[in-house]
Amino acid sequence: MERPFETAATSRHAGRSPVAAAARVAASIALSALVATGAAAQRSKAPAQPRFADLDAFVAKSMQAFKVPGIAVAIVKNDSIVYAKGYGTRTVGKSEPVDANTIFAIGSSSKAFTAALVAMAVDEGKMKWDEKVASYLPGFQLHDSYASRDLTVRDALSHRSGLARGDFAWYLSGFPRDEILRRVRHLEPSWGFRSTFGYQNIMYLAAGEAVAAVQKRSWDDQVKEKLFTPLGMTSSSTSIRELGEQSNVATPHADWNDTVRTIEYKNIDNIGPAGSINSNVRDMAQWVRLQLGHGKYGQRQLISSGNLNEMWLPNIQLRLEGPAARFMAPAANLAAYGMGWFLQDFNGRLAVHHGGNIDGMSAMVAMLPDEQLGVVVLTNLDGTPAPEAIFPYVFDMYTRDTPRDWNAELHNMLEPLRKQGKEAEAAAEKARVSGTKPSLDLPKYAGVYSDSMYGDLKITHADGKLRMAWGAFGGTLEHWNYDSFRAVMDHARLGKPMMTFVLDPTGKPAELKLDMAPEAEFRFTPPPADTKAAVALTPGQLQGLVGTYKPDEIPLEIQVQLVGDALKLTVPGQPTYTLVAVTPTRFRMTGPAGMPDGFFMEFDVTGGKATGATLVQPAPQPALKLKRQ
């Protein structure tokens, strides 16, 4: 996917320090969003005939410089595929050659497909770019009421919702698409609505579900019927579940601890409209032909030129600030995002592109529409800058006499950032306070910590160790200092995220803070009350407890009634509670779903009849002595 899509993955893979993660994020955003050359002020003279042998050599250097196992490249010029080739291996350590038909995940390069489906619905009069998303998805809600009411389809497709990513709501969470959209109402905005570019995958899910609602067909079915089929993209799919039928499939890889290793494919169907497409460069070249044809493919106008061009209009600017951004666009005047595409100048021409990065795969689709030139780069390495080096090299081949050495320039830019990340990790290690111990015995930290957006994070204790489980994340906690722990993840490339327990005034766990999701509020959730009776009482025994109970200290009246065969307790202004017998005189109070344990009614019984009771509440709330009236 596009580098910003990867930033959640980047921080979760690295997971060692917030500063290091920030450095990696900054590098990632700069790499994919802003690429231009110093000749942006005027067009350079194009070579008479591009030398593909030079491209082969450049790709070979990219693979070596960035340790990429396999790469596939396709070039479209003047509506023809003039180049389609694979390099390297599908799986490191094996002789499985990559070719032009090898399938890779394209990640966030999928976003333009979602925008194209919306364009088709606009052509059909079923949607409008500037209509509210809530008009198509009743019940859609954001944290900010104004944004909830006014967010349009254009806003959702332009990354100007004001929301930060919130990617852990879908990444390995297991939540289905509708549940992710329900939970996004709990994600607080990071910027003003429509004020700032903020890469947002969940808004692409909203757009995909909106077009599914109006067309009464799933996003997946529409991509296949409206785009894959007419474009002849016979090897492409919207889910890894369909890869089992394919034999020529690249294996995902990640580079951690300076070693490239295979990793498993991740099922990201729940965020499909933002990045779940799998394809090869031959198929993707057909997609590029549709784009360069302004919606026309062969003799068919699949999308009106007007609505396809809407996708290339700037909707939100990207700030060209900082050394990374200026390095990647040293002479660019403006960079922006349209709908499904990044937009900028390149050698004096408009460049339209979108990268993609999801676990183990990195991709790029890029075009110079005025030159009728497009390039697709697919790789099987997580977070590699190779696509960002190759596509501008191809552009240079057609627009400059001598292409720049993008491999060297990217490498030279990344090295200081990598060094900065390592220094930040070393600083975090140095700042660790030695000789401390946890405030509590380890078993007391165990429990469920819940966040409205991200769900439940479970801490368990066994064999003298704490473990965490959050969706598909799992790891063992090592004490760091005080009440902070470092999670050694089961999958090593997920890194070692820090987590800190926050105690309440009584010294019990109240909250868990996670550095990989600093916006989350994982609140300790007491276990629900046990609703199973420990003893069976006769109707006569229960009837002897019925009555009105009052405390001496405060004007409060509590009713205990026998309804059917169950005792019910009513406190004015509160829901009715059911009393579950623990002993003949001690009853557990249960009520609304999720009611915590710790509330009891203990009756004082003489001669089979209650004379009073004690209402027991969890600490620090005091017990309340009651008299039967």
Side-chain angles (χ1 to χ4, degrees), residues 270-594:
N270 60 354
I271 199 72
S276 70
I277 290 176
N278 311 293
S279 190
N280 58 39
V281 293
R282 287 196 185 278
D283 277 11
M284 291 299 294
Q286 309 309 317
W287 168 245
V288 170
R289 289 179 62 202
L290 174 71
Q291 297 295 316
L292 294 176
H294 294 273
K296 187 175 184 179
Y297 180 81
Q299 301 303 311
R300 295 183 61 187
Q301 191 76 42
L302 299 180
I303 307 171
S304 70
S305 59
N307 276 318
L308 188 132
N309 291 341
E310 281 281 337
M311 297 160 59
W312 295 356
L313 293 178
N315 285 318
I316 189 78
Q317 74 176 51
L318 279 69
R319 300 176 71 91
L320 297 178
E321 296 178 334
R326 298 314 297 180
F327 176 89
M328 296 307 297
N333 297 302
L334 290 172
Y337 197 88
M339 289 185 283
W341 296 104
F342 287 92
L343 312 165
Q344 63 167 97
D345 51 325
F346 188 98
N347 289 350
R349 299 158 176 84
L350 170 68
V352 179
H353 60 88
H354 210 299
N357 190 12
I358 191 61
D359 298 75
M361 301 276 178
S362 300
M364 176 59 70
V365 180
M367 298 171 289
L368 294 178
D370 289 347
E371 298 293 330
Q372 281 293 293
L373 173 66
V375 57
V376 179
V377 184
L378 304 179
T379 75
N380 59 350
L381 182 63
D382 190 59
T384 176
E388 281 84 1
I390 295 171
F391 94 80
Y393 183 89
V394 173
F395 283 1
D396 280 352
M397 288 172 57
Y398 283 89
T399 59
R400 291 169 58 94
D401 287 328
T402 304
R404 290 168 61 177
D405 188 351
W406 288 89
N407 286 326
E409 295 189 20
L410 282 174
H411 183 270
N412 292 339
M413 186 202 74
L414 287 173
E415 280 309 303
L417 293 171
R418 290 192 181 113
K419 181 180 178 182
Q420 181 182 351
K422 290 182 179 179
E423 291 173 349
E425 292 171 8
E429 289 279 353
K430 187 176 180 180
R432 181 180 183 180
V433 181
S434 61
T436 68
K437 62 179 183 179
S439 300
L440 306 175
D441 294 335
L442 293 185
K444 293 184 178 180
Y445 292 102
V448 177
Y449 297 79
S450 301
D451 178 79
S452 299
M453 178 78 176
Y454 297 130
D456 294 342
L457 191 159
K458 298 178 181 178
I459 301 294
T460 56
H461 178 265
D463 300 324
K465 294 183 179 181
L466 294 176
R467 278 192 57 82
M468 67 162 288
W470 178 29
F473 292 99
T476 300
L477 274 57
E478 294 180 343
H479 183 245
W480 182 255
N481 52 216
Y482 302 110
D483 289 318
S484 293
F485 293 76
R486 182 171 63 180
V488 180
M489 305 303 284
D490 296 338
H491 296 287
R493 76 186 187 89
L494 297 179
K496 298 178 180 180
M498 297 294 300
M499 52 182 57
T500 300
F501 293 91
V502 180
L503 307 184
D504 67 18
T506 69
K508 295 181 179 179
E511 185 179 354
L512 181 58
K513 293 185 178 295
L514 197 62
D515 74 346
M516 64 197 298
E519 72 279 10
E521 294 183 355
F522 288 100
R523 300 286 185 179
F524 180 77
T525 304
D530 187 357
T531 58
K532 185 177 180 181
V535 297
L537 302 179
T538 67
Q541 288 176 294
L542 295 175
Q543 188 64 48
L545 307 177
V546 170
T548 300
Y549 296 79
K550 291 183 178 181
D552 290 334
E553 300 86 352
I554 56 177
L556 179 67
E557 185 174 282
I558 296 176
Q559 297 288 339
V560 175
Q561 301 166 325
L562 184 61
V563 180
D565 57 358
L567 277 184
K568 301 290 183 177
L569 183 148
T570 301
V571 179
Q574 297 185 27
T576 297
Y577 301 95
T578 299
L579 298 180
V580 178
V582 178
T583 72
T585 59
R586 181 178 171 89
F587 290 73
R588 177 178 288 109
M589 292 173 59
T590 66

Side-chain angles (χ1 to χ4, degrees), residues 117-129 131 136 211 214-215 226 304 307:
L117 289 181
V118 173
M120 290 175 159
V122 174
D123 279 337
E124 296 169 17
K126 295 180 179 180
M127 295 184 77
K128 296 179 180 178
W129 295 113
E131 183 58 86
Y136 305 117
V211 75
V214 300
Q215 299 286 21
K226 289 175 168 284
S304 70
N307 276 318

